Amino acid sequence: STCSSSHRRPLCPSVSAMVVLGGRVAWACSVLLLLQLAGASHVVYETHLLETEAAAADVPPSILDAELSTGYHFRPIKNWINDPNAPMYYKGWYHFFYQYNPKGAVWGNIVWAHSVSRDLINWVALETAIQPSIKSDKYGCWSGSATILRDGTPVIMYTGIDRADINYEVQNIAFPKNKSDPLLREWVKPRSNPIIVPEGGINATQFRDPTTAWYADGHWRLLIGALSGASRGVAYVYRSRDFMRWTRVRKPLHSAPTGMWECPDLYPVTVDGRQNGLDTSVTSSPRVKHVLKNSLDLRRYDYYTVGTYNRKTERYVPDNPAGDEHHLRYDYGNFYASKTFYDPIKRRRILWGWANESDTAVDDVAKGWAGIQAIPRKVWLDPSGRQLMQWPVEELEALRAKKPVSLKDRVVKRGEHVEVTGLRSSQADVEVSFEVPSLEGAEALDPALANDAQKLCSVRGADVEGGVGPFGLWVLASSKLEEKTAVFFRVFKAARNINSTKPVVLMCSDPTTSSLNPNLYKPTFAGFVDTDIAKGKISLRSLIDRSVVESFGAGGRTCILSRVYPTLALGKNAHLHVFNNGKVDIKVSQLTAWEMKKPALMNGA
């Protein structure tokens, strides 16, 4: 896309705040709101107008506080970013491209920014890699992917916009000007662009985001996301012998009535439970499954299924027939437009995902930046074969301070909370293992909410007493707990309408009390955890980074990223607690918390 520019957050302050800010701000915000409600997926903001608003607006001082600027998550020094594009490893360097507005902190003027790293943690920004320069991308260089050709040449495929009046989407190709340059600083676009155009009844305004290609039987294949009819998400397969002339396979790889499929991704995973990744061209076999992931333009989240890809028929079949209805997600929080790549050096598959802001567009313009990337995650198939596992790349641990703080064998009674002291917890990595001695007191699960974790969390939040749980962490908490973000588990008895006798485990990130600032998007995010809590144990890891809380439940079975903007719990004034708001005592068998250093290099930020 840009897999997307439309926000999962309010663009403007609340109505009461707009009245205070005056007519011009209210008018601008009304226009932005109308554009958003109209489904303007690629809204071009009048940046100069927003800058005027930001100058006049009563933006809370805390929003502008440097203590809210992330310390170790990927971001440029300033301006707007969105989708991760074309991650790859080449000649000793990890390359990361991303959708970027060089002119401001809202979506627009999109180019491909480019950074390189030796370790996925320290990043150096290079010059812009791809920007509008030919007829077939004159009005936009949107998302795409990288493929390493059989002779070792890297190539980028991306979506271009070639008309001023509508988002008419075509697919372009770019090659390195000098493939012996390990930094790949310059890219050239051959005259044959565009190399794929929307033909044969395809909706030209919903046809984007080519994937990494895979090779078999003398042909390259790739997918392009699309919309068929009013509501059917589609992944079309294109084939080529030479990577330049492409033909669409008659039937799509897969489709579902979910709305537009942005940023598709198809890749193989091993079924033996090992954490090794596979090159994208490895084909399905009894020991290899495939993952198909799509980003839902309508719902603003990424979901995936695990299944079988048949390269003879060019069709994909999910293992779970209801997989396109009951969505498994990489992340149940603020995480979109994701993309994976195979790292041949460490033989792993790495996942990147974009996390937008949850403040307002006016706030973003005032502070001068918007958007981060989640910490890169290693992904692999759980031994059950039902879902993926995710874990922050091991390189992140190099940022941990030498001396962690720990708690061991600490019982946390009903209604109790225990502060973890001795570290600056506004920028930290916390790992905790809980023991639940008894599940006798678990609440009954309302059958109406048995498939809706987010709604369940919104009605049974962190402050609502339960039987077994809520228990977990309060992070970025103020000294008197007026502000706190809760990351927690809650256990329910098996619901009557679920074919299982296993207790149901809910994981939730509840930022409803994260900030005293009223003009924020503060939704609860939640997912169910596929784990056997009957054994009495569950773990949680939370990466806390000033305005980000990125959490991994049960070893990476359920992941949730939230953006929060405390006004009090900033820097040294942020506190960390373990809490238990359930009737049953829980035990912290082990908690280890590290302060996190900033990387030496973060694109100059």
Side-chain angles (χ1 to χ4, degrees):
S1 36
T2 175
C3 266
S4 235
S5 54
S6 55
H7 298 238
R8 301 166 57 193
R9 59 181 173 121
L11 292 167
C12 292
S14 65
V15 172
S16 57
M18 286 202 294
V19 171
V20 173
L21 296 181
R24 180 149 185 182
V25 175
W27 172 82
C29 287
S30 301
V31 171
L32 290 172
L33 200 58
L34 285 170
L35 285 167
Q36 188 182 22
L37 292 172
S41 182
H42 298 96
V43 179
V44 179
Y45 297 117
E46 291 289 344
T47 307
H48 63 281
L49 182 61
L50 272 173
E51 283 168 354
T52 305
E53 263 68 68
D58 188 16
V59 173
S62 59
I63 286 286
L64 305 177
D65 196 312
E67 291 290 353
L68 282 184
S69 300
T70 54
Y72 59 91
H73 281 74
F74 181 99
R75 72 176 183 88
I77 197 165
K78 62 179 183 178
N79 297 331
W80 166 277
I81 70 168
N82 54 294
D83 308 6
N85 290 155
M88 65 174 144
Y89 182 86
Y90 186 71
K91 292 187 184 293
W93 294 87
Y94 292 102
H95 289 258
F96 184 68
F97 304 83
Y98 54 96
Q99 300 275 285
Y100 176 67
N101 179 1
K103 296 182 179 177
V106 293
W107 187 86
N109 317 298
I110 294 296
V111 302
W112 278 45
H114 182 196
S115 294
V116 293
S117 173
R118 292 284 198 186
D119 60 6
L120 292 167
I121 301 301
N122 290 277
W123 292 93
V124 176
L126 302 180
E127 48 269 44
T128 296
I130 296 175
Q131 56 194 328
S133 64
I134 57 176
K135 183 176 180 295
S136 55
D137 69 12
K138 183 176 179 180
Y139 299 99
C141 295
W142 290 0
S143 286
S145 304
T147 301
I148 307 291
L149 298 182
R150 300 184 80 209
D151 68 357
T153 303
V155 56
I156 283 173
M157 291 274 282
Y158 68 98
T159 298
I161 306 301
D162 71 355
R163 295 187 189 175
D165 53 340
I166 61 166
N167 291 334
Y168 194 93
E169 297 165 359
V170 298
Q171 315 311 321
N172 296 306
I173 193 166
F175 294 93
K177 187 173 184 180
N178 174 12
K179 70 177 185 181
S180 65
D181 173 16
L183 299 181
L184 300 173
R185 279 171 287 209
E186 292 184 79
W187 292 80
V188 292
K189 306 168 187 176
R191 289 182 178 175
S192 47
N193 277 315
I195 59 170
I196 300 176
V197 296
E199 294 176 327
I202 287 175
N203 179 344
T205 65
Q206 307 287 334
F207 178 67
R208 54 185 175 267
D209 310 331
T211 64
T212 295
W214 64 98
Y215 186 84
D217 308 328
H219 284 89
W220 287 100
R221 291 113 161 134
L222 58 76
L223 302 180
I224 297 174
L227 179 71
S228 177
S231 62
R232 197 160 192 89
V234 175
Y236 288 119
V237 182
Y238 284 79
R239 289 166 48 119
S240 174
R241 287 189 180 277
D242 61 4
F243 222 88
M244 296 298 289
R245 289 164 296 188
W246 294 83
T247 305
R248 176 159 61 101
V249 174
R250 193 170 62 84
K251 289 187 174 178
L253 177 87
H254 190 54
S255 68
T258 57
M260 169 69 186
W261 281 0
E262 296 195 296
C263 303
D265 201 6
L266 179 74
Y267 56 90
V269 287
T270 59
V271 299
D272 56 13
R274 290 184 307 155
Q275 296 184 20
N276 286 355
L278 295 173
D279 180 83
T280 309
S281 289
V282 171
T283 53
S284 280
S285 72
R287 298 175 60 189
V288 174
K289 290 280 187 186
H290 271 74
V291 172
L292 175 64
K293 167 256 148 182
N294 295 291
S295 301
L296 296 183
D297 195 23
L298 287 176
R299 302 195 193 183
R300 315 306 306 155
Y301 65 67
D302 290 10
Y303 88 98
Y304 70 89
T305 54
V306 179
T308 302
Y309 160 60
N310 183 327
R311 74 169 188 265
K312 296 280 189 282
T313 61
E314 303 290 6
R315 301 302 292 273
Y316 167 86
V317 179
D319 289 350
N320 179 357
D324 290 304
E325 181 185 350
H326 298 305
H327 295 158
L328 283 173
R329 291 163 57 175
Y330 285 149
D331 193 295
Y332 291 86
N334 184 340
F335 187 94
Y336 193 67
S338 60
K339 191 167 292 294
T340 67
F341 76 103
Y342 176 65
D343 174 5
I345 298 305
K346 293 201 172 181
R347 296 177 62 208
R348 58 186 172 174
R349 183 157 289 271
I350 294 173
L351 167 70
W352 283 95
W354 163 54
N356 200 354
E357 302 300 305
S358 298
D359 55 6
T360 69
V362 170
D363 289 346
D364 293 344
V365 171
K367 73 189 188 200
W369 64 278
I372 60 161
Q373 302 294 333
I375 294 297
R377 304 172 183 180
K378 182 167 77 167
V379 291
W380 69 96
L381 188 65
D382 179 70
S384 71
R386 290 191 298 265
Q387 69 160 90
L388 293 171
M389 305 284 285
Q390 300 168 65
W391 202 245
V393 292
E394 62 187 9
E395 289 88 339
L396 182 68
E397 294 165 24
L399 296 179
R400 288 172 169 175
K402 284 193 172 64
K403 291 188 177 176
V405 169
S406 61
L407 279 181
K408 199 171 176 65
D409 296 331
R410 175 66 191 260
V411 173
V412 186
K413 296 184 180 299
R414 174 182 184 175
E416 192 182 2
H417 56 92
V418 177
E419 183 166 5
V420 181
T421 58
L423 81 160
R424 191 177 170 112
S425 65
S426 58
Q427 195 170 298
D429 183 355
V430 185
E431 292 197 36
V432 56
S433 299
F434 296 103
E435 286 182 29
V436 185
S438 169
L439 298 175
E440 287 297 309
E443 303 158 78
L445 177 58
D446 180 348
L449 298 175
N451 288 312
D452 194 340
Q454 189 146 341
K455 190 163 186 186
L456 183 60
C457 177
S458 70
V459 296
R460 310 293 289 170
D463 293 334
V464 179
E465 187 183 59
V468 181
F471 63 85
L473 298 174
W474 286 337
V475 305
L476 297 173
S478 57
S479 58
K480 296 179 181 174
L481 300 177
E482 310 99 312
E483 293 184 338
K484 60 186 184 297
T485 296
V487 185
F488 64 89
F489 299 111
R490 191 178 204 117
V491 183
F492 296 87
K493 291 188 176 79
R496 293 190 303 278
N497 60 333
I498 291 183
N499 298 325
S500 172
T501 56
K502 270 197 334 187
V504 174
V505 181
L506 176 75
M507 176 176 163
C508 188
S509 182
D510 182 355
T512 50
T513 60
S514 62
S515 178
L516 298 179
N517 179 355
N519 301 318
L520 298 171
Y521 179 50
K522 294 187 281 192
T524 52
F525 290 128
F528 294 110
V529 189
D530 186 4
T531 188
D532 188 3
I533 192 75
K535 294 175 181 173
K537 294 183 179 179
I538 195 164
S539 67
L540 175 67
R541 182 179 182 187
S542 284
L543 302 175
I544 305 158
D545 191 8
R546 302 175 176 213
S547 61
V548 190
V549 181
E550 189 171 358
S551 300
F552 302 80
R557 281 178 169 77
T558 301
C559 310
I560 304 176
L561 188 153
S562 289
R563 300 300 311 277
V564 293
Y565 307 85
T567 64
L568 303 172
L570 295 163
K572 66 181 186 301
N573 297 317
H575 299 259
L576 172 67
H577 299 254
V578 180
F579 80 96
N580 177 20
N581 209 4
K583 293 171 183 167
V584 175
D585 293 355
I586 58 115
K587 184 161 97 172
V588 176
S589 49
Q590 179 72 47
L591 179 149
T592 311
W594 294 265
E595 263 186 47
M596 293 293 275
K597 297 173 289 194
K598 286 184 78 164
L601 301 167
M602 184 52 76
N603 300 312

